[in-house]
Amino acid sequence: MQCEPTYDIKYVQGNVKDKYRYAISYNKAWHNLKRARKNVYGIWEGSCQYLPKYIGALQKYNPGTVEEWFPNEIDGRVIHILQYVLWAFRSCIECFRHCLKVISVDGTHLYTKYKHKMLIDASLDANQHVLPLAYAIVDEKNFRSWHWFLHMVTKFVIHGVKGMCLISDRHPDIIKIVERVREFQAPMGLHRFCLRHVTSNFNNHYKNISLKNLCWQTGSELSVHTFEKIMEQIKPSNPDACEYLLVIDPCLWILCYDEGNR
């Protein structure tokens, strides 16, 4: 278990049979594997209890690291249940001062007993390498959690810098929040859509690899003339697909209309 955390039940049964010439049941293998995992790694509840110490260690050995907790309140009382927590390394924030004013936000699922989500804010450095800026663990990806996360990003990462370009997917909650956050509204900043997400959503609707490739070409095109030619290829193949793309404001996802903001 120490050497191989993904050690499976079938290997427990096989190893016991090979070594002791005795076949154990699936339930016995499962219970003892669970016990071994607990002895080596602890339990999920214990891991949550260690989270404040972990964040404290990050701050101790990475001076200036930012942390922010959002406690859960029930009937006016603060209940210590993990709801939102954010951290950002000072070295990454300082590095961002020398990068282009472009940040991307996205979220992913945590594949654990507790189905929390991780929200991430990142940028690119001069070598086009990903520069992580802030991480957050939240209970759900919804309006409230995204609003809190973006507020923390503007507070600790952006610090009122003008001309910031935020790139995200087309999640309705993010769009609503951006409309309320002045750091991402002209003249302070602006909002753009991630082309990968636009293309993925487009493909979910029409399930056609050729159309998907044309959609990507459309969004990454730098010439208006070439963009129009690509759209002329899409329209005969699927008029609905063409209409789907035309509904999206072109300046939000097509490079030739972006004016260099992203």
Side-chain angles (χ1 to χ4, degrees):
M1 182 58 63
Q2 287 179 321
C3 300
E4 184 55 59
T6 58
Y7 194 63
D8 197 39
I9 294 174
K10 62 182 179 181
Y11 298 122
V12 175
Q13 293 177 299
N15 288 339
V16 170
K17 188 172 184 178
D18 290 342
K19 186 171 183 179
Y20 299 105
R21 305 301 177 185
Y22 179 75
I24 61 174
S25 67
Y26 181 93
N27 286 337
K28 181 173 287 188
W30 183 85
H31 282 293
N32 284 279
L33 184 63
K34 182 179 179 181
R35 184 182 301 171
R37 185 176 285 112
K38 177 181 176 180
N39 290 339
V40 175
Y41 299 107
I43 57 177
W44 293 117
E45 290 80 1
S47 297
C48 289
Q49 292 174 4
Y50 282 120
L51 188 57
K53 292 184 179 181
Y54 172 74
I55 298 295
L58 291 182
Q59 291 183 306
K60 179 179 179 180
Y61 295 102
N62 300 272
T65 293
V66 173
E67 69 158 324
E68 191 73 19
W69 297 81
F70 187 86
N72 195 8
E73 293 189 6
I74 301 176
D75 297 329
R77 297 177 300 158
V78 176
I79 307 298
H80 293 283
I81 299 176
L82 176 61
Q83 189 169 16
Y84 306 155
V85 58
L86 173 140
W87 66 97
F89 295 106
R90 174 58 58 185
S91 56
C92 295
I93 296 175
E94 292 299 326
C95 180
F96 181 60
R97 301 282 172 260
H98 308 281
C99 299
L100 294 175
K101 299 177 182 179
V102 180
I103 61 173
S104 300
V105 295
D106 202 359
T108 186
H109 298 270
L110 299 183
Y111 298 98
T112 63
K113 178 180 178 180
Y114 300 103
K115 303 303 180 183
H116 286 71
K117 313 297 186 293
M118 172 174 277
L119 307 183
I120 303 173
D121 172 32
S123 185
L124 293 176
D125 63 16
N127 291 322
Q128 297 298 298
H129 294 161
V130 174
L131 174 66
L133 299 174
Y135 306 86
I137 303 296
V138 300
D139 53 359
E140 290 291 342
K141 289 197 296 182
N142 52 31
F143 181 90
R144 191 183 184 195
S145 61
W146 274 117
H147 186 275
W148 178 82
F149 180 66
L150 289 176
H151 175 68
M152 293 297 104
V153 168
T154 59
K155 180 180 178 180
F156 296 116
V157 178
I158 296 178
H159 292 302
V161 176
K162 291 186 177 181
M164 189 64 61
C165 177
L166 170 68
I167 298 177
S168 74
D169 60 19
R170 298 168 61 212
H171 195 287
D173 288 336
I174 297 179
I175 295 175
K176 291 178 183 178
I177 294 165
V178 168
E179 293 173 351
R180 304 184 184 187
V181 180
R182 67 183 186 89
E183 283 81 0
F184 303 123
Q185 293 293 318
M188 287 291 292
L190 47 91
H191 183 210
R192 294 290 185 262
F193 295 145
C194 171
L195 178 56
R196 187 184 69 81
H197 282 95
V198 171
T199 304
S200 178
N201 292 337
F202 175 81
N203 189 58
N204 288 338
H205 279 80
Y206 300 103
K207 303 293 183 181
N208 186 305
I209 190 64
S210 297
L211 289 177
K212 179 183 178 181
N213 292 336
L214 288 174
C215 177
W216 179 268
Q217 293 177 32
T218 300
S220 57
E221 184 50 55
L222 296 173
S223 166
V224 175
H225 176 70
T226 307
F227 156 72
E228 292 174 347
K229 290 180 65 176
I230 297 174
M231 292 300 291
E232 290 175 0
Q233 296 179 49
I234 297 176
K235 189 171 183 179
S237 302
N238 192 322
D240 291 340
C242 183
E243 185 64 26
Y244 175 94
L245 296 177
L246 291 176
V247 168
I248 309 173
D249 188 342
C251 71
L252 295 179
W253 69 286
I254 301 173
L255 283 179
C256 61
Y257 289 100
D258 179 66
E259 298 180 349
N261 288 301
R262 74 170 67 199

